[in-house]
Amino acid sequence: MEQALKNKIQITLPDGSARAFAAGVTGIEIAESIAKSLAKAAVAVKIDGVQRDLSDPITSDAALEIITLDSEEGLEIMRHTVAAQLLARAVKNLYPDAKLAIGPTIENGFYYDIEFKEPLSSEDLEKIEKEMRKIKETNAPIVKSLNSKADTIAAFKDRAEPYKVEIVEGADQEDGFQLYAQGDTGFIDLCRGPHLLSLKQVGVFKLMSLAGAYWRGDSSKQMLTRIYGTAWRNDKELKEYLHMLEEAEKRDHRKLGAEMDLFHFQVEAQGSVFWHPKGFTIYNQMEGYIRRRLNNAGYKEIKTPQLIDNKLWEKSGHWGKYRENMFVVPDEIPSTDDDGPVVSDKAFEKLMALKPMNCPAHVQVFNQGIKSYRDLPIRFAEFGCCHRNEPHGALHGLMRVRQFTQDDAHIFCREDQITDEAVAFCDLLKTVYSDLGFDDVKVALSLRPEMRVGSDELWDKAEDGLRQALLKTGLEFTEEEGEGAFYGPKIDYQIRDAIGRTWQCGTLQLDFNLPERLDASYVGQDGEKHRPVMLHRAILGSLERFIGVMIESYAGKLPLWLAPTQVVVAPIVSEFDAYAQEVCDAMKAAGIRVETDLRNEKINYKVREHSHAKVPVIIAVGEREATDKTVAIRRLGSDKQSVEDLAKAIESLAQECKAPY
RNA sequence: GCUGCUGUAGCUCAGUGGUAGAGCGCGUCAUUGGUAAUGACGAGGUCGGGAGUUCAAUUCUCCCCAGCAGCACCA
């Protein structure tokens, strides 16, 4: 009796029901006992919340959940199997010398980092994919074994897999290394699992691209070849995913920027934007909108120098920590002698740098005159144009440039003002994002790192100040231990765009360091000198990048107030050019950005062209409209027209075309 | 910066060891038309830059530059 009890274990299912099984029962056996269909759909189990293989014996009472392919978790496990079993084995079949590194899953797919003797081409990718299909057809069972450290190392040394050896050697466990084999094919892969029971359960997959990636993400280490792939439950899902990728490509701001004639780049100013009239209209609208918001929130706008002597950068600490990202200029008049050097050796004794940040300059403004505790908080805003010497490979359209303008501001305040300032900032940021169409904001509070300046009391106060501010604003947030900057804790804000991608734009950073280094102070109530706390903050981050995000999120169809051309007035026949001009002039007078299209083209052609150019409102005027003093309005994205009285239309459009603030 | 791929007309892209082609756009002319392409004709290119192989290179080889993807870095 006692013996029998010992051999029985209680398995609790997610619905709360419990069943008894013999100790050593496996997940797949339990699934089969519940329903055959469940066993068929099962890909893994969760035992007490931990993912395990269906074939793992369960030896003690446990809460068990069966993971099926329908779930996101199940799909991820399937992708993992495609990477670690199909892709890895296919590569080893075709390239026996290839060295496998790691093959995790990522959003929408997976990759595998592998060292090849020769670089791969896209034809190789097709070859590998073909081989994967062949392997999948074998429906081979996937069998796991548990091994000791020594055995595992020996197995991979035997197979000349140095990366696997390195992984195992670096692991702190001594036992229980999981090796997955496919039947008796001789293929094994090290993996934390779980994996499918057999290749039979694999859905559809496609290899997507090749890229380089450093071993262990370290740029000083070996560059491996990364093969990216995607896998889905069925063809329909794969098709939808590929379609989504196409859509994202269509929204690419670099493409839309060229099509819509907003901006361009050229080699003579790599990484810097040439704004065209239409693009700069958007830029100016954004800047004007933020300026009004900041002004209303008690900020004072300033403008500080572009070129600053390196002495100040030395004091601020940028020279030591940030110099490789700075553009440095000798302060000497260049020689006009064509044969000689442009500047003398001596010129390098006096250097200046284009500012990569505005903060040290803002402290200079703060430091003018004596500040009293009564003056605080002081909020200096600047549309500061910064230059950063970014690695060439990092440059990416408007998203990553070498010259950009921040909607930057620095708040100088007392320690007791941190929370109020942070609350005010969070509120402002929420309002701005909402005005711009971003209501999904992810917030992270980064707390003290190991290496830091400032006392623990100060950090306590600062971290709690930010935490209270977030709670007060009602923004949901996560806390990231150790992720703060050495000079203070920070809040990072990520917005989610129309197709679900996230962008880091806004930030609020406390700084205990810079006021100290640049000797900023105010006179307290006690008549003594005190250090102000400095808050760095931005909402858009960089105007360039944010406009890029707006273009992609709106797929070029910007809100009316931001559209470079808000209205085009097109006569149907040239007889009514004069009326079109009259409509245009009246709208212009009402503050609308409006143009006429008097070209000798059919109305169809004009509608098509301006629709492609993403003009939000097209007004057609012909005989009827001219006679009745009306306009026929057509909105972008609709093929309906509405005929309205001219004066009324101007009034309502003018209202609609206004910025949200 | 690293790895790989790419570079042909304003744009999208064919193509070839023997001096280059399409569509769109652009220009001219005709056409005055009611909501996503009117027609005809025409102009446009040192085939990214440099070197090499060759009788001959846009095509093959090497170097450089730039763009793209990813990595690393980051607003």
mmCIF file of all heavy atoms in Angstrom, chain A residues 25-63:
data_model
loop_
_atom_site.group_PDB
_atom_site.id
_atom_site.type_symbol
_atom_site.label_atom_id
_atom_site.label_comp_id
_atom_site.label_asym_id
_atom_site.label_seq_id
_atom_site.Cartn_x
_atom_site.Cartn_y
_atom_site.Cartn_z
ATOM 1 N N VAL A 25 5.759 9.331 -15.285
ATOM 2 C CA VAL A 25 4.891 9.536 -16.440
ATOM 3 C C VAL A 25 5.431 10.724 -17.262
ATOM 4 O O VAL A 25 6.069 11.624 -16.719
ATOM 5 C CB VAL A 25 3.441 9.813 -15.957
ATOM 6 C CG1 VAL A 25 3.356 11.146 -15.250
ATOM 7 C CG2 VAL A 25 2.469 9.754 -17.138
ATOM 8 N N THR A 26 5.192 10.680 -18.557
ATOM 9 C CA THR A 26 5.685 11.784 -19.387
ATOM 10 C C THR A 26 4.531 12.683 -19.801
ATOM 11 O O THR A 26 3.361 12.288 -19.747
ATOM 12 C CB THR A 26 6.366 11.255 -20.664
ATOM 13 O OG1 THR A 26 5.383 10.578 -21.451
ATOM 14 C CG2 THR A 26 7.518 10.337 -20.339
ATOM 15 N N GLY A 27 4.890 13.881 -20.259
ATOM 16 C CA GLY A 27 3.888 14.856 -20.677
ATOM 17 C C GLY A 27 3.021 14.316 -21.796
ATOM 18 O O GLY A 27 1.804 14.503 -21.801
ATOM 19 N N ILE A 28 3.641 13.647 -22.716
ATOM 20 C CA ILE A 28 2.868 13.152 -23.868
ATOM 21 C C ILE A 28 1.879 12.086 -23.427
ATOM 22 O O ILE A 28 0.752 12.006 -23.927
ATOM 23 C CB ILE A 28 3.813 12.644 -24.999
ATOM 24 C CG1 ILE A 28 3.020 12.334 -26.280
ATOM 25 C CG2 ILE A 28 4.610 11.427 -24.580
ATOM 26 C CD1 ILE A 28 2.461 13.534 -26.981
ATOM 27 N N GLU A 29 2.270 11.264 -22.434
ATOM 28 C CA GLU A 29 1.356 10.242 -21.924
ATOM 29 C C GLU A 29 0.153 10.879 -21.241
ATOM 30 O O GLU A 29 -0.991 10.428 -21.404
ATOM 31 C CB GLU A 29 2.093 9.314 -20.945
ATOM 32 C CG GLU A 29 3.044 8.359 -21.653
ATOM 33 C CD GLU A 29 4.071 7.708 -20.703
ATOM 34 O OE1 GLU A 29 4.074 8.048 -19.494
ATOM 35 O OE2 GLU A 29 4.872 6.896 -21.185
ATOM 36 N N ILE A 30 0.425 11.946 -20.496
ATOM 37 C CA ILE A 30 -0.684 12.639 -19.832
ATOM 38 C C ILE A 30 -1.605 13.249 -20.878
ATOM 39 O O ILE A 30 -2.831 13.130 -20.796
ATOM 40 C CB ILE A 30 -0.135 13.727 -18.874
ATOM 41 C CG1 ILE A 30 0.661 13.076 -17.745
ATOM 42 C CG2 ILE A 30 -1.281 14.576 -18.313
ATOM 43 C CD1 ILE A 30 1.405 14.045 -16.851
ATOM 44 N N ALA A 31 -1.020 13.870 -21.895
ATOM 45 C CA ALA A 31 -1.823 14.480 -22.959
ATOM 46 C C ALA A 31 -2.696 13.429 -23.620
ATOM 47 O O ALA A 31 -3.885 13.642 -23.868
ATOM 48 C CB ALA A 31 -0.913 15.150 -23.980
ATOM 49 N N GLU A 32 -2.115 12.258 -23.885
ATOM 50 C CA GLU A 32 -2.872 11.171 -24.523
ATOM 51 C C GLU A 32 -4.023 10.720 -23.641
ATOM 52 O O GLU A 32 -5.106 10.391 -24.131
ATOM 53 C CB GLU A 32 -1.947 9.990 -24.826
ATOM 54 C CG GLU A 32 -1.414 10.057 -26.243
ATOM 55 C CD GLU A 32 -0.167 9.206 -26.463
ATOM 56 O OE1 GLU A 32 0.208 8.468 -25.530
ATOM 57 O OE2 GLU A 32 0.418 9.316 -27.543
ATOM 58 N N SER A 33 -3.789 10.717 -22.335
ATOM 59 C CA SER A 33 -4.834 10.285 -21.416
ATOM 60 C C SER A 33 -5.981 11.277 -21.366
ATOM 61 O O SER A 33 -7.094 10.941 -20.990
ATOM 62 C CB SER A 33 -4.254 10.094 -20.014
ATOM 63 O OG SER A 33 -4.132 11.351 -19.381
ATOM 64 N N ILE A 34 -5.715 12.506 -21.742
ATOM 65 C CA ILE A 34 -6.776 13.520 -21.733
ATOM 66 C C ILE A 34 -7.551 13.463 -23.048
ATOM 67 O O ILE A 34 -8.764 13.337 -23.056
ATOM 68 C CB ILE A 34 -6.206 14.933 -21.496
ATOM 69 C CG1 ILE A 34 -5.538 15.006 -20.115
ATOM 70 C CG2 ILE A 34 -7.308 15.996 -21.602
ATOM 71 C CD1 ILE A 34 -4.728 16.262 -19.877
ATOM 72 N N ALA A 35 -6.833 13.577 -24.159
ATOM 73 C CA ALA A 35 -7.491 13.496 -25.463
ATOM 74 C C ALA A 35 -6.445 13.259 -26.533
ATOM 75 O O ALA A 35 -5.351 13.829 -26.476
ATOM 76 C CB ALA A 35 -8.255 14.777 -25.753
ATOM 77 N N LYS A 36 -6.800 12.456 -27.494
ATOM 78 C CA LYS A 36 -5.869 12.150 -28.581
ATOM 79 C C LYS A 36 -5.513 13.396 -29.360
ATOM 80 O O LYS A 36 -4.367 13.607 -29.762
ATOM 81 C CB LYS A 36 -6.506 11.125 -29.510
ATOM 82 C CG LYS A 36 -5.848 9.761 -29.406
ATOM 83 C CD LYS A 36 -5.970 9.004 -30.710
ATOM 84 C CE LYS A 36 -4.921 7.921 -30.772
ATOM 85 N NZ LYS A 36 -5.478 6.620 -31.082
ATOM 86 N N SER A 37 -6.540 14.257 -29.565
ATOM 87 C CA SER A 37 -6.305 15.475 -30.344
ATOM 88 C C SER A 37 -5.310 16.384 -29.621
ATOM 89 O O SER A 37 -4.496 17.048 -30.245
ATOM 90 C CB SER A 37 -7.620 16.207 -30.573
ATOM 91 O OG SER A 37 -8.212 16.502 -29.320
ATOM 92 N N LEU A 38 -5.407 16.380 -28.305
ATOM 93 C CA LEU A 38 -4.488 17.208 -27.516
ATOM 94 C C LEU A 38 -3.062 16.687 -27.685
ATOM 95 O O LEU A 38 -2.123 17.468 -27.877
ATOM 96 C CB LEU A 38 -4.897 17.180 -26.036
ATOM 97 C CG LEU A 38 -4.021 18.018 -25.089
ATOM 98 C CD1 LEU A 38 -4.127 19.497 -25.420
ATOM 99 C CD2 LEU A 38 -4.415 17.782 -23.632
ATOM 100 N N ALA A 39 -2.916 15.381 -27.629
ATOM 101 C CA ALA A 39 -1.585 14.787 -27.778
ATOM 102 C C ALA A 39 -0.997 15.139 -29.136
ATOM 103 O O ALA A 39 0.199 15.376 -29.285
ATOM 104 C CB ALA A 39 -1.671 13.276 -27.613
ATOM 105 N N LYS A 40 -1.867 15.214 -30.139
ATOM 106 C CA LYS A 40 -1.397 15.506 -31.488
ATOM 107 C C LYS A 40 -0.917 16.956 -31.596
ATOM 108 O O LYS A 40 0.059 17.248 -32.287
ATOM 109 C CB LYS A 40 -2.546 15.269 -32.467
ATOM 110 C CG LYS A 40 -2.064 14.757 -33.805
ATOM 111 C CD LYS A 40 -3.220 14.405 -34.705
ATOM 112 C CE LYS A 40 -2.783 14.505 -36.159
ATOM 113 N NZ LYS A 40 -3.939 14.501 -37.048
ATOM 114 N N ALA A 41 -1.640 17.865 -30.924
ATOM 115 C CA ALA A 41 -1.307 19.285 -31.019
ATOM 116 C C ALA A 41 -0.200 19.682 -30.047
ATOM 117 O O ALA A 41 0.373 20.761 -30.159
ATOM 118 C CB ALA A 41 -2.547 20.124 -30.756
ATOM 119 N N ALA A 42 0.107 18.798 -29.081
ATOM 120 C CA ALA A 42 1.068 19.161 -28.039
ATOM 121 C C ALA A 42 2.477 19.280 -28.609
ATOM 122 O O ALA A 42 2.890 18.476 -29.446
ATOM 123 C CB ALA A 42 1.035 18.118 -26.935
ATOM 124 N N VAL A 43 3.199 20.322 -28.176
ATOM 125 C CA VAL A 43 4.592 20.461 -28.598
ATOM 126 C C VAL A 43 5.549 20.401 -27.410
ATOM 127 O O VAL A 43 6.726 20.072 -27.564
ATOM 128 C CB VAL A 43 4.841 21.769 -29.379
ATOM 129 C CG1 VAL A 43 4.098 21.731 -30.709
ATOM 130 C CG2 VAL A 43 4.423 22.976 -28.577
ATOM 131 N N ALA A 44 5.045 20.719 -26.225
ATOM 132 C CA ALA A 44 5.881 20.693 -25.033
ATOM 133 C C ALA A 44 4.974 20.807 -23.821
ATOM 134 O O ALA A 44 3.753 20.935 -23.969
ATOM 135 C CB ALA A 44 6.891 21.842 -25.045
ATOM 136 N N VAL A 45 5.546 20.764 -22.650
ATOM 137 C CA VAL A 45 4.754 20.966 -21.440
ATOM 138 C C VAL A 45 5.421 22.018 -20.575
ATOM 139 O O VAL A 45 6.591 22.349 -20.764
ATOM 140 C CB VAL A 45 4.627 19.678 -20.600
ATOM 141 C CG1 VAL A 45 3.706 18.687 -21.265
ATOM 142 C CG2 VAL A 45 5.989 19.091 -20.303
ATOM 143 N N LYS A 46 4.618 22.522 -19.650
ATOM 144 C CA LYS A 46 5.167 23.409 -18.639
ATOM 145 C C LYS A 46 4.968 22.694 -17.321
ATOM 146 O O LYS A 46 3.833 22.393 -16.941
ATOM 147 C CB LYS A 46 4.386 24.715 -18.623
ATOM 148 C CG LYS A 46 5.170 25.880 -19.160
ATOM 149 C CD LYS A 46 4.308 27.100 -19.040
ATOM 150 C CE LYS A 46 5.047 28.354 -19.343
ATOM 151 N NZ LYS A 46 4.126 29.480 -19.423
ATOM 152 N N ILE A 47 6.066 22.398 -16.642
ATOM 153 C CA ILE A 47 5.965 21.742 -15.348
ATOM 154 C C ILE A 47 6.308 22.765 -14.281
ATOM 155 O O ILE A 47 7.427 23.307 -14.282
ATOM 156 C CB ILE A 47 6.924 20.526 -15.276
ATOM 157 C CG1 ILE A 47 6.510 19.512 -16.349
ATOM 158 C CG2 ILE A 47 6.900 19.907 -13.887
ATOM 159 C CD1 ILE A 47 7.482 18.390 -16.543
ATOM 160 N N ASP A 48 5.348 23.055 -13.445
ATOM 161 C CA ASP A 48 5.490 24.119 -12.455
ATOM 162 C C ASP A 48 6.020 25.400 -13.109
ATOM 163 O O ASP A 48 6.933 26.055 -12.604
ATOM 164 C CB ASP A 48 6.417 23.672 -11.309
ATOM 165 C CG ASP A 48 5.782 22.546 -10.497
ATOM 166 O OD1 ASP A 48 4.537 22.530 -10.388
ATOM 167 O OD2 ASP A 48 6.521 21.682 -10.004
ATOM 168 N N GLY A 49 5.448 25.689 -14.272
ATOM 169 C CA GLY A 49 5.782 26.947 -14.949
ATOM 170 C C GLY A 49 7.054 26.917 -15.774
ATOM 171 O O GLY A 49 7.401 27.907 -16.388
ATOM 172 N N VAL A 50 7.747 25.772 -15.783
ATOM 173 C CA VAL A 50 8.999 25.699 -16.541
ATOM 174 C C VAL A 50 8.786 24.832 -17.780
ATOM 175 O O VAL A 50 8.263 23.719 -17.696
ATOM 176 C CB VAL A 50 10.125 25.093 -15.671
ATOM 177 C CG1 VAL A 50 11.438 25.045 -16.459
ATOM 178 C CG2 VAL A 50 10.297 25.902 -14.390
ATOM 179 N N GLN A 51 9.208 25.348 -18.931
ATOM 180 C CA GLN A 51 9.051 24.585 -20.175
ATOM 181 C C GLN A 51 9.919 23.335 -20.173
ATOM 182 O O GLN A 51 11.105 23.387 -19.890
ATOM 183 C CB GLN A 51 9.450 25.459 -21.371
ATOM 184 C CG GLN A 51 8.431 26.503 -21.719
ATOM 185 C CD GLN A 51 8.770 27.191 -23.031
ATOM 186 O OE1 GLN A 51 9.754 26.871 -23.701
ATOM 187 N NE2 GLN A 51 7.940 28.147 -23.403
ATOM 188 N N ARG A 52 9.296 22.186 -20.488
ATOM 189 C CA ARG A 52 10.042 20.924 -20.561
ATOM 190 C C ARG A 52 9.598 20.163 -21.793
ATOM 191 O O ARG A 52 8.591 20.462 -22.413
ATOM 192 C CB ARG A 52 9.766 20.060 -19.313
ATOM 193 C CG ARG A 52 10.085 20.732 -17.993
ATOM 194 C CD ARG A 52 11.561 21.061 -17.856
ATOM 195 N NE ARG A 52 12.401 19.885 -17.924
ATOM 196 C CZ ARG A 52 12.800 19.207 -16.859
ATOM 197 N NH1 ARG A 52 12.414 19.581 -15.652
ATOM 198 N NH2 ARG A 52 13.575 18.149 -16.997
ATOM 199 N N ASP A 53 10.375 19.123 -22.105
ATOM 200 C CA ASP A 53 10.023 18.277 -23.238
ATOM 201 C C ASP A 53 8.858 17.375 -22.897
ATOM 202 O O ASP A 53 8.680 16.970 -21.744
ATOM 203 C CB ASP A 53 11.228 17.420 -23.637
ATOM 204 C CG ASP A 53 12.208 18.215 -24.465
ATOM 205 O OD1 ASP A 53 11.844 18.575 -25.601
ATOM 206 O OD2 ASP A 53 13.316 18.496 -23.960
ATOM 207 N N LEU A 54 8.090 17.021 -23.930
ATOM 208 C CA LEU A 54 6.972 16.089 -23.757
ATOM 209 C C LEU A 54 7.459 14.724 -23.280
ATOM 210 O O LEU A 54 6.718 13.964 -22.674
ATOM 211 C CB LEU A 54 6.230 15.918 -25.087
ATOM 212 C CG LEU A 54 5.274 17.039 -25.471
ATOM 213 C CD1 LEU A 54 4.830 16.848 -26.907
ATOM 214 C CD2 LEU A 54 4.085 17.080 -24.547
ATOM 215 N N SER A 55 8.710 14.430 -23.567
ATOM 216 C CA SER A 55 9.233 13.100 -23.231
ATOM 217 C C SER A 55 9.880 13.050 -21.849
ATOM 218 O O SER A 55 10.323 11.993 -21.407
ATOM 219 C CB SER A 55 10.280 12.702 -24.275
ATOM 220 O OG SER A 55 11.300 13.671 -24.303
ATOM 221 N N ASP A 56 9.934 14.208 -21.160
ATOM 222 C CA ASP A 56 10.562 14.211 -19.835
ATOM 223 C C ASP A 56 9.716 13.443 -18.822
ATOM 224 O O ASP A 56 8.520 13.706 -18.695
ATOM 225 C CB ASP A 56 10.732 15.659 -19.328
ATOM 226 C CG ASP A 56 11.909 16.334 -19.990
ATOM 227 O OD1 ASP A 56 12.694 15.624 -20.661
ATOM 228 O OD2 ASP A 56 12.044 17.560 -19.847
ATOM 229 N N PRO A 57 10.302 12.512 -18.080
ATOM 230 C CA PRO A 57 9.546 11.840 -17.036
ATOM 231 C C PRO A 57 9.280 12.802 -15.876
ATOM 232 O O PRO A 57 10.147 13.600 -15.519
ATOM 233 C CB PRO A 57 10.472 10.694 -16.602
ATOM 234 C CG PRO A 57 11.827 11.071 -17.076
ATOM 235 C CD PRO A 57 11.684 12.019 -18.222
ATOM 236 N N ILE A 58 8.075 12.724 -15.329
ATOM 237 C CA ILE A 58 7.722 13.577 -14.204
ATOM 238 C C ILE A 58 7.714 12.689 -12.965
ATOM 239 O O ILE A 58 7.028 11.665 -12.930
ATOM 240 C CB ILE A 58 6.347 14.217 -14.420
ATOM 241 C CG1 ILE A 58 6.343 14.965 -15.772
ATOM 242 C CG2 ILE A 58 6.001 15.177 -13.290
ATOM 243 C CD1 ILE A 58 4.974 15.351 -16.256
ATOM 244 N N THR A 59 8.501 13.074 -11.969
ATOM 245 C CA THR A 59 8.713 12.161 -10.845
ATOM 246 C C THR A 59 8.081 12.618 -9.548
ATOM 247 O O THR A 59 8.087 11.891 -8.573
ATOM 248 C CB THR A 59 10.234 11.977 -10.601
ATOM 249 O OG1 THR A 59 10.812 13.278 -10.491
ATOM 250 C CG2 THR A 59 10.874 11.222 -11.748
ATOM 251 N N SER A 60 7.558 13.835 -9.518
ATOM 252 C CA SER A 60 6.912 14.261 -8.276
ATOM 253 C C SER A 60 5.675 15.082 -8.600
ATOM 254 O O SER A 60 5.465 15.476 -9.758
ATOM 255 C CB SER A 60 7.890 15.072 -7.427
ATOM 256 O OG SER A 60 8.349 16.165 -8.183
ATOM 257 N N ASP A 61 4.868 15.369 -7.580
ATOM 258 C CA ASP A 61 3.655 16.152 -7.774
ATOM 259 C C ASP A 61 3.998 17.456 -8.486
ATOM 260 O O ASP A 61 5.015 18.088 -8.191
ATOM 261 C CB ASP A 61 3.025 16.502 -6.416
ATOM 262 C CG ASP A 61 2.467 15.254 -5.749
ATOM 263 O OD1 ASP A 61 2.569 14.173 -6.364
ATOM 264 O OD2 ASP A 61 1.944 15.379 -4.624
ATOM 265 N N ALA A 62 3.142 17.850 -9.432
ATOM 266 C CA ALA A 62 3.460 19.057 -10.186
ATOM 267 C C ALA A 62 2.211 19.658 -10.804
ATOM 268 O O ALA A 62 1.209 18.970 -11.016
ATOM 269 C CB ALA A 62 4.472 18.725 -11.287
ATOM 270 N N ALA A 63 2.318 20.965 -11.069
ATOM 271 C CA ALA A 63 1.291 21.620 -11.880
ATOM 272 C C ALA A 63 1.745 21.502 -13.321
ATOM 273 O O ALA A 63 2.905 21.793 -13.638
ATOM 274 C CB ALA A 63 1.175 23.083 -11.473
#
